[in-house]
Amino acid sequence: MRTPIIAGNWKMNKTAVEAVQFVREIRQGLQNIQGVDKVVCPPFIAIPGVYEALQATDIGIGAQNMWYEDKGAYTGEIAPDMLTPFCQYVILGHSERRAYYCETDEGVNKKTKAALAHGLTPIICVGETLEQNEAGETQAFVSGQVKAALDGLTDEQVASCVIAYEPIWAIGTGKSASAAQAGSIIGLSVRGAIAEVYGEAVAQQVRIQYGGSVKEGNIAEYMAHPDIDGALVGGASLKPGFVELVRNAVA
Ligand code: PGA
């Protein structure tokens, strides 16, 4: 019922030239895989070149961040309208942005509203730290992040969001959460939190990804869990093996 979605979060990797070379290398392979939404999220400056290179393909483009105002004195920021000619998606509230750039739940909520108002699909990131996980706080913390990010949205808007559950201790560490662990948190604390506020019917429409050390070799396990609808992939999205990863997601 929910179309799976695999998004590659390139983070601060690849120059504009390298980005175009890379998407030329993977575009045909990705294009051949059906039944899954495929998205690449390059750094801002590489987005127009990647857009050109992906013309006439069904591969989506996402930004990795965005500011919530339309324009003005926000040095260094990018407005929604600057993205919409090129992007369909925007990653919001990634744990690295929350940790290094002081992003708050309130800011993520404002960005989510701005993205939706401009026709961009937000990929909202949530997830607990190792300390919170070990202290048994995961469920309360993650459901709090989900509710805060979606606060004040309509049912239709919520249904159109993508949420990425990424336990911080699993990002870039090679330590992935097991599919059973991730699926249970996604079911209880992400879909469950949405159901509490917006009802089960809305919760059933939201696509929820797992993120954290997803690779070619483990994607199938995550996809086999009924509550996991795809993945937000960091390191493994930077290499040609990303094609195989996406293929394995729907195999
Ligand atoms: P990773 O990153 O796949 O390199 O662990 C995932 C993410 O941060 O989105």
Side-chain angles (χ1 to χ4, degrees):
M1 209 182 51
R2 298 183 295 263
T3 306
I5 174 166
I6 308 284
N9 173 13
W10 295 6
K11 309 191 179 184
M12 197 176 71
N13 293 290
K14 299 192 190 294
T15 64
V17 170
E18 290 165 348
V20 169
Q21 282 167 350
F22 179 61
V23 289
R24 284 194 182 134
E25 210 179 318
I26 62 170
R27 65 185 170 192
Q28 191 56 51
L30 287 179
Q31 186 63 356
N32 292 340
I33 308 165
Q34 294 304 311
V36 53
D37 288 346
K38 305 148 276 189
V39 183
V40 292
C41 304
F44 288 130
I45 201 154
I47 288 175
V50 166
Y51 171 81
E52 284 297 317
L54 295 182
Q55 284 285 306
T57 73
D58 63 357
I59 303 159
I61 301 176
Q64 299 172 18
N65 179 35
M66 181 196 83
W67 192 238
Y68 51 79
E69 297 286 356
D70 284 345
K71 60 178 164 190
Y74 302 99
T75 302
E77 289 295 338
I78 295 279
D81 274 346
M82 298 173 185
L83 297 177
T84 48
F86 309 105
C87 298
Q88 301 81 39
Y89 300 89
V90 59
I91 299 172
L92 297 176
H94 189 278
S95 61
E96 286 149 17
R97 295 215 54 89
R98 293 181 192 253
Y100 307 140
Y101 308 102
C102 310
E103 292 225 356
T104 61
D105 281 341
E106 193 192 351
V108 174
N109 177 245
K110 286 182 176 168
K111 291 180 176 190
T112 299
K113 287 175 174 158
L116 290 165
H118 288 85
L120 291 162
T121 297
I123 300 177
I124 302 163
C125 302
V126 297
E128 82 287 1
T129 62
L130 185 59
E131 296 70 46
Q132 289 168 321
N133 185 280
E134 287 174 346
E137 294 165 7
T138 300
Q139 200 174 329
F141 182 74
V142 171
S143 57
Q145 283 184 316
V146 170
K147 289 177 188 172
L150 303 178
D151 187 47
L153 302 189
T154 66
D155 289 2
E156 292 70 31
Q157 286 177 321
V158 172
S160 74
C161 288
V162 175
I163 299 189
Y165 167 64
E166 304 199 299
I168 295 171
W169 47 272
I171 296 178
T173 56
K175 262 195 240 166
S176 46
S178 73
Q181 256 178 314
S184 124
I185 294 160
I186 286 175
L188 288 170
S189 313
V190 184
R191 212 177 294 288
I194 300 170
E196 253 179 65
V197 183
Y198 298 94
E200 189 59 33
V202 172
Q204 284 303 324
Q205 294 174 66
V206 179
R207 295 188 291 175
I208 307 174
Q209 300 172 313
Y210 167 72
S213 301
V214 174
K215 301 187 264 300
E216 293 93 302
N218 63 13
I219 182 70
E221 291 164 42
Y222 294 106
M223 298 306 293
H225 194 287
D227 265 315
I228 303 181
D229 306 314
L232 185 57
V233 184
S237 73
L238 295 169
K239 292 168 271 174
F242 185 58
V243 175
E244 192 190 335
L245 189 158
V246 176
R247 195 178 302 120
N248 292 349
V250 285

